[in-house]
Structure formats: structure tokens, C-alpha cells
Amino acid sequence: MNGLDHVAILVADLDAAIRLYRDVYGLELAEVEEVPTEKVRVAIFGHGAGRIELVSPSGPDSPMAKAIERRGEGLHHVCLEVPDIEQAMAALRAQGAPLLDEKPRPGAGGSRVAFVHPKGSRGVLVELKQGGGEHR
């Protein structure tokens, strides 16, 4: 693991959340992206390690819409950057970590991602991320 890539916050209204983080907190909005495979819109604040990622459902059938119904808005996951996602997944499996993904899937910015179940991470959903665009 290379360390923290980003922290993701689940929000119901992406535009309102962007205004809060940009206009009230004064953070730089780097990009807004649609991730159709995950049925979400993502707003990324900052550059390099330690970014904040706002995640919002792109429609009522998004799993994130259901998550907001169940738990409300708030911290969604912590993302760790890895140099080789398959190797990281194999190492975690060998140690008994409960992975939610059998193989990497497409993520924001052209990255490849996989998730570790919160049961294996002291209650925190952990995303593993390899690659991605200019925000790495």
C-alpha cells in the first residue's frame, strides 16, 4: 500500500455539497465526473494524496441512493493507493481479509478499484485503487 489516496463522502445533492466544500470551506474543485458503472457522480477536491471525493447517486436506482436511504449522508470509504491491485488483493485474501470484489472494476479517472468489507477493517469500507488520471 502506498498510503491514503482519498476520503469519500456520500452526499444526496452533489451540487449543494460542491457549494459547501468550494464556497464555504474554500477547497479547490478539481473535477466532476460521472461513473456510469457505479451509477454515481463524483466531485474531487484537491490534487495528489489526501483528496476529498464527494459521491452522489446519479439516479434513484443507484446503490448509493439506497445507502443514503438506509444510513444517510456521511463518510463512505477510505481509499488506499496500491501499485498492483491484483497483488494487493491476493495478499489481503491470503490474510483472510473479506474482499467485496473478486476482480478489480473500473473507478473514477480511469482507475481500477476493489473494496474490502468493513467487517475486515474495523467498521470502515476500504477501497484499493490502482492508477487513475492526473489526480493520483
Side-chain angles (χ1 to χ4, degrees):
M1 310 285 167
N2 292 343
L4 179 68
D5 184 81
H6 67 267
V7 174
I9 300 168
L10 185 57
V11 299
D13 183 335
L14 187 61
D15 295 328
I18 287 171
R19 287 190 298 275
L20 172 67
Y21 280 80
R22 183 190 60 214
D23 303 340
V24 176
Y25 295 147
L27 298 177
E28 177 189 353
L29 177 62
E31 175 181 5
V32 177
E33 177 182 354
E34 180 108 13
V35 184
T37 58
E38 299 299 315
K39 299 182 180 177
V40 296
R41 289 178 57 223
V42 176
I44 299 169
F45 288 85
H47 299 278
R51 293 181 317 280
I52 294 176
E53 181 178 280
L54 303 178
V55 180
S56 183
S58 58
D61 63 336
S62 168
M64 294 303 119
K66 292 169 183 47
I68 290 172
E69 283 178 24
R70 285 190 311 273
R71 295 186 304 275
E73 297 177 300
L75 179 65
H76 185 261
H77 67 267
V78 173
C79 178
L80 302 175
E81 181 183 9
V82 298
D84 182 323
I85 196 161
E86 283 92 357
Q87 183 180 20
M89 291 173 74
L92 288 168
R93 268 192 211 98
Q95 294 180 50
L99 298 177
L100 292 174
D101 297 289
E102 292 297 316
K103 60 183 182 175
R105 54 181 150 155
S111 64
R112 298 172 64 218
V113 303
F115 287 87
V116 180
H117 195 285
K119 290 179 187 175
S121 302
R122 304 279 187 204
V124 176
L125 179 64
V126 174
E127 178 184 24
L128 307 173
K129 175 185 173 189
Q130 177 187 334
E134 66 280 357
H135 300 291
R136 280 192 51 190

